[in-house]
Amino acid sequence: QVQLVESGGGLVQAGGSLRLSCAASGRTFSCYAVGWFRQAPGKEREFVGAIIWKGGAPYSADSVKGRFTISRDIANNMVYLQMNSLKPEDTAVYYCAATTNIATIYPRRASDYNYWGQGTQVTVSS
């Protein structure tokens, strides 16, 4: 089992920045990738980005490239999502997710991930 706890959400004005944190615990050595998803009201859960746990290679959705950066501190089992130049359309609940499956080299679908955090709200005002 892998447990994930997100923190760092909040209210920010457009153009501002936030850093989300994801604390992983449990069998973290079994993780292949840890990612971030978001879900706005009435919309499907959307892939934001992820990082290969051991290799450290990050990858992200086109909608956030150049604005969001994913990093990890493997010694402390932490994954971060640095969000800059935030827009109102970035408003959503942000979820941290982990996968222990290696079926996909760069997993991007919610169904690729088998562990989820409880989510943290990010609200960007215009």
Side-chain angles (χ1 to χ4, degrees), residues 17-84:
S17 298
L18 276 177
R19 188 176 84 154
L20 304 184
S21 299
C22 174
S25 61
R27 298 172 62 88
T28 57
F29 61 86
S30 64
C31 288
Y32 171 67
V34 179
W36 290 93
F37 288 76
R38 66 186 181 185
Q39 189 165 20
K43 294 190 176 182
E44 292 187 354
R45 195 163 294 192
E46 175 190 19
F47 174 75
V48 175
I51 190 163
I52 305 303
W53 185 242
K54 293 189 174 73
Y59 54 102
S60 59
D62 289 342
S63 58
V64 305
K65 276 182 182 174
R67 300 190 299 125
F68 291 10
T69 303
I70 296 171
S71 61
R72 60 115 169 82
D73 176 356
I74 198 168
N76 292 299
N77 292 327
M78 296 292 295
V79 177
Y80 303 100
L81 179 65
Q82 177 66 44
M83 305 185 293
N84 299 326

Side-chain angles (χ1 to χ4, degrees), residues 108-119:
R108 293 173 177 265
R109 301 172 302 178
S111 59
D112 292 330
Y113 291 79
N114 48 346
Y115 296 102
W116 293 85
Q118 82 287 352

